Amino acid sequence: MQLSVIILNYNVRYFLEQCVLSVQASLQDIDGEIIVIDNNSSDDSCQMMKTRFPHIKLIENKENTGFPKGNNIGVAQARGEYICILNPDTVVAEDTFVKILNSQLLTPNSQFGIIGCKLVDGTGNFLPESKRGIPTPWVAFTKIFGLYKIFPKVQLFNQYYAQQLNENHSGKVEILVGAFMLVKRELYNEVGGFDENCFMYSDDIDLSYMVLKKGKVNYYFSETTVVHYKGESTVKDETYMSRFQEAMNYFYTKHFKKSTFFSLFMKLGSFLFTKLKKNKKTTSKRKIESYILISSNELLKEKLEKLLGKNVKQLSTNFKNELPSLLKGINSNVEIIFDQNELSFLTIISAFEKYKCEKVTFKIIPNHCNFMIGSNSSNDRGEVILIND
């Protein structure tokens, strides 16, 4: 078997359903498998998997074992030569895995370690954590005080988000994000997998660094784009920042000597980050003035108009000819709804990137689903809207 896709789920049932649909489509021409591990969700994630995807391996943990252990449990049952650690709040394109597996990165003598890809949020904006540097005390300092924004082209200040590498150019990086990590199963096991002493947040940094210590090269692959709703899996609150601070301190103490400097700035960073997130939360709500449905389904249009209480402009699947003129010069909030029953995930993801705009948000109605799903901000949980039959 060539590839095992490992998806660890916790209470994101609708995002998980969409994720699995996209992975199934992406594995169409690959000898692969999907393994879903559920960390004792209180929603109906497991029942949904058993009903809709009875052929997919589901591991039901009786407790929330955390991100590292949950993924290690899944990898232990994987059969693929390669594994991909994938968040449940992601959407991959139909050609995502084919592009990576057929790339020059995977030649027999390749020294590649982990491969990451270009991630965008639910509004189509690039997520800079797709590629990062090792968070030494200095690098953490430049991140906390925003020096990487002030001096984006100065190497001394731009290492946290590996800004020496453009988001649309592939290349070597040090740290990749746990939302999407493709690695040889043999190498994953050789470094011990995710460190189970990390409950979450520094686990992907630690795994990336352990692979570097093996003399391997981590790689950012920009030729495929994956949507990561980001805010859906974890609410960014004070508890999140406390755990993040502990995780970063654990990583630094494990791999470097203990640093008072680092601990100090992590505490200061936690305080500033929490305040910033709170401010963003209060401004992220938006009122949608008009809706555009990309679908030929007239009945669906009628359902949405009844549900949303507004007229819905309908475009065919050849929307690329009409949509640009509709969006030109818009000064009110517009939401575009994609009917994935008629559109590929690749087409939808490409549209996210092409039509991203401060006034535009997106929703997807996944194939044979009675809901639409999306996120208007990478700082908040995503939104699920049920569509009555």
Side-chain angles (χ1 to χ4, degrees):
M1 182 174 290
Q2 193 173 17
L3 178 65
S4 298
V5 180
I6 313 297
I7 305 172
L8 178 65
N9 176 70
Y10 181 65
N11 283 335
V12 287
R13 170 250 190 273
Y14 293 102
F15 285 85
L16 174 65
E17 184 171 356
Q18 178 176 237
C19 177
V20 172
L21 285 169
S22 73
V23 174
Q24 277 193 149
S26 194
L27 292 179
Q28 195 72 34
D29 298 317
I30 294 173
D31 181 15
E33 65 177 349
I34 302 171
I35 299 175
V36 172
I37 310 95
D38 185 80
N39 258 352
N40 198 29
S41 294
S42 57
D43 62 11
D44 64 340
S45 293
C46 291
Q47 186 56 51
M48 180 276 295
M49 286 298 304
K50 292 172 184 176
T51 302
R52 180 143 198 199
F53 308 104
H55 57 288
I56 289 178
K57 187 172 187 60
L58 172 65
I59 301 170
E60 297 181 67
N61 289 337
K62 299 306 179 186
E63 60 180 342
N64 185 353
T65 57
F67 184 88
K69 188 171 183 178
N71 277 295
N72 288 344
I73 289 171
V75 173
Q77 299 199 31
R79 296 176 291 153
E81 179 183 0
Y82 300 95
I83 60 166
C84 180
I85 304 297
L86 187 69
N87 267 30
D89 55 348
T90 57
V91 182
V92 302
E94 283 79 1
D95 63 354
T96 290
F97 296 122
V98 168
K99 275 189 171 181
I100 296 177
L101 293 172
N102 290 345
S103 71
Q104 292 300 310
L105 297 173
L106 305 186
T107 55
N109 297 320
S110 172
Q111 287 301 302
F112 100 92
I114 303 171
I115 299 176
C117 68
K118 183 179 181 182
L119 299 176
V120 299
D121 66 15
T123 62
N125 287 299
F126 176 68
L127 291 171
E129 61 267 26
S130 301
K131 51 182 181 64
R132 291 172 289 171
I134 299 168
T136 62
W138 169 252
V139 172
F141 176 85
T142 63
K143 167 71 166 72
I144 289 169
F145 288 96
L147 298 180
Y148 70 98
K149 293 181 180 178
I150 302 171
F151 307 104
K153 296 184 179 179
V154 179
Q155 187 176 0
L156 184 64
F157 303 109
N158 69 11
Q159 297 170 57
Y160 188 85
Y161 287 127
Q163 287 162 278
Q164 78 280 0
L165 192 66
N166 184 282
E167 67 186 71
N168 295 315
H169 290 86
S170 302
K172 299 175 184 178
V173 295
E174 293 172 323
I175 306 298
L176 294 163
V177 65
F180 185 105
M181 285 180 149
L182 192 142
V183 61
K184 261 196 168 184
R185 181 163 57 96
E186 181 182 8
L187 177 59
Y188 183 94
N189 290 327
E190 187 180 338
V191 299
F194 284 111
D195 184 342
E196 295 181 11
N197 288 313
C198 302
F199 186 79
M200 54 175 58
Y201 307 131
S202 71
D203 31 51
D204 51 3
I205 298 173
D206 180 75
L207 184 67
S208 297
Y209 190 69
M210 291 294 290
V211 166
L212 292 177
K213 288 173 71 174
K214 285 287 182 182
K216 301 294 184 179
V217 175
N218 295 329
Y219 200 87
Y220 168 73
F221 186 77
S222 67
E223 295 174 38
T224 186
T225 301
V226 169
V227 176
H228 180 207
Y229 291 105
K230 187 182 174 182
E232 181 58 24
S233 294
T234 308
V235 179
K236 305 298 190 295
D237 55 12
E238 290 86 346
T239 302
Y240 159 82
M241 279 312 303
S242 175
R243 288 177 175 172
F244 180 76
Q245 178 186 325
E246 291 172 6
M248 293 305 297
N249 277 320
Y250 174 80
F251 167 77
Y252 200 75
T253 302
K254 175 181 175 179
H255 294 291
F256 306 94
K257 65 180 181 180
K258 189 171 177 63
S259 171
T260 304
F261 176 83
F262 186 74
S263 298
L264 173 65
F265 280 106
M266 279 306 301
K267 287 180 181 178
L268 178 59
S270 297
F271 173 76
L272 295 175
F273 186 92
T274 302
K275 289 202 71 172
L276 178 64
K277 288 294 181 182
K278 281 184 176 179
N279 290 337
K280 283 189 175 181
K281 276 180 176 287
T282 59
T283 58
S284 63
K285 301 291 184 184
R286 66 167 64 205
K287 183 179 179 181
I288 306 299
E289 300 296 335
S290 58
Y291 293 89
I292 299 173
L293 171 65
I294 313 295
S295 174
S296 63
N297 188 331
E298 290 284 349
L299 181 59
L300 178 59
K301 176 180 181 290
E302 293 175 12
K303 286 182 179 180
L304 291 177
E305 287 183 332
K306 185 176 180 181
L307 176 67
L308 301 170
K310 287 183 180 290
N311 290 330
V312 175
K313 173 73 174 177
Q314 188 170 17
L315 299 181
S316 72
T317 52
N318 295 318
F319 63 92
K320 294 176 184 177
N321 298 324
E322 302 175 73
L323 191 56
S325 59
L326 286 176
L327 297 179
K328 187 176 181 180
I330 58 169
N331 52 21
S332 59
N333 293 327
V334 177
E335 185 148 282
I336 303 173
I337 303 169
F338 296 95
D339 181 5
Q340 200 266 315
N341 292 280
E342 300 183 5
L343 299 163
S344 69
F345 284 111
L346 176 60
T347 298
I348 295 170
I349 294 170
S350 298
F352 275 29
E353 291 192 276
K354 184 173 182 178
Y355 302 112
K356 64 183 177 185
C357 169
E358 186 180 345
K359 295 293 185 180
V360 176
T361 53
F362 306 104
K363 292 288 187 300
I364 300 174
I365 302 174
N367 190 21
H368 291 100
C369 290
N370 65 342
F371 60 87
M372 59 182 180
I373 194 166
S375 175
N376 297 347
S377 167
S378 60
N379 300 301
D380 294 334
R381 282 188 176 275
E383 184 180 19
V384 177
I385 299 175
L386 297 180
I387 303 171
N388 296 322
D389 292 329

